[in-house]
């Protein structure tokens, strides 16, 4: 259950039958490709186009750094899911980057400033991390 709360699509518990595993894989593959690889995310006032690397708030484009863009996109794809600083760091920074967990806080602060009134979509969960508001 925790896996689903953290953003997994599905999981199989041990022991499992190979037949069940194959059935679950086939079910995922039947999903429309557009749903699996969607380049556009719309959450309330925020529109994100991953292919064009653009973000718009109520139709007005805003300028984000590469890291801010990746951070917003990562969170927006997981609305309602509490994301720890470590998980955000793993997803947003490269493997060879040397950063601390407070780096996430600095990027969140900068991102909220750029989002203006839409900053409330990024919620702080004290002691746990951050969450993108479910819309």
């Amino acid at each position: 259950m925790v896996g689903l709360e953290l953003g997994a699509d599905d999981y199989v518990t041990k022991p499992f039958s190979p037949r069940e595993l194959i059935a679950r894989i086939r079910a995922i593959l039947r999903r429309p490709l557009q749903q699996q690889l969607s380049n556009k995310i719309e959450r309330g006032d925020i529109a994100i186009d991953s292919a064009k690397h653009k973000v718009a708030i109520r139709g007005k484009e805003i300028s984000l750094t590469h890291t801010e863009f990746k951070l917003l996109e990562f969170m927006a794809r997981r609305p309602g899911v509490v994301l720890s600083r470590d998980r955000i760091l793993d997803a947003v920074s490269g493997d060879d980057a040397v950063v601390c967990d407070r780096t996430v806080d600095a990027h969140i602060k900068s991102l909220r400033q750029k989002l203006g009134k839409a900053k409330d979509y990024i919620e702080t969960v004290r002691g746990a991390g951050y969450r993108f508001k479910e819309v």
Side-chain angles (χ1 to χ4, degrees):
M1 186 61 134
V2 173
L4 295 174
E5 291 172 353
L6 293 174
D9 287 340
D10 200 356
Y11 67 96
V12 180
T13 59
K14 291 182 182 178
F16 63 89
S17 79
R19 208 168 135 187
E20 178 186 2
L21 180 62
I22 291 170
R24 288 178 183 269
I25 291 170
R26 285 187 177 145
I28 290 172
L29 293 175
R30 280 193 303 266
R31 293 178 188 167
L33 186 59
Q34 185 177 2
Q35 178 185 343
Q36 295 177 39
L37 303 173
S38 178
N39 288 326
K40 295 184 181 181
I41 306 166
E42 291 191 20
R43 304 277 187 256
D45 296 333
I46 301 174
I48 304 168
D49 188 330
S50 300
K52 295 180 180 178
H53 209 273
K54 292 183 178 184
V55 175
I57 309 295
R58 289 180 218 98
K60 184 180 178 188
E61 193 174 318
I62 62 169
S63 178
L64 299 178
T65 66
H66 179 69
T67 302
E68 290 166 346
F69 181 87
K70 286 172 62 176
L71 173 62
L72 181 63
E73 179 186 30
F74 179 71
M75 293 182 69
R77 287 194 185 277
R78 295 154 183 82
V81 176
V82 177
L83 302 165
S84 70
R85 287 174 179 85
D86 288 338
R87 183 152 183 238
I88 292 171
L89 275 175
D90 289 345
V92 173
S93 61
D95 293 334
D96 56 348
V98 178
V99 291
C100 65
D101 61 350
R102 302 316 277 178
T103 303
V104 173
D105 298 336
H107 286 297
I108 292 283
K109 181 179 179 182
S110 175
L111 182 57
R112 282 177 170 156
Q113 288 174 342
K114 292 179 180 183
L115 291 175
K117 292 180 181 179
K119 69 182 179 190
D120 294 334
Y121 284 97
I122 299 176
E123 302 174 331
T124 301
V125 181
R126 296 213 182 271
Y130 297 97
R131 162 178 60 215
F132 195 90
K133 186 177 184 179
E134 291 183 271
V135 184

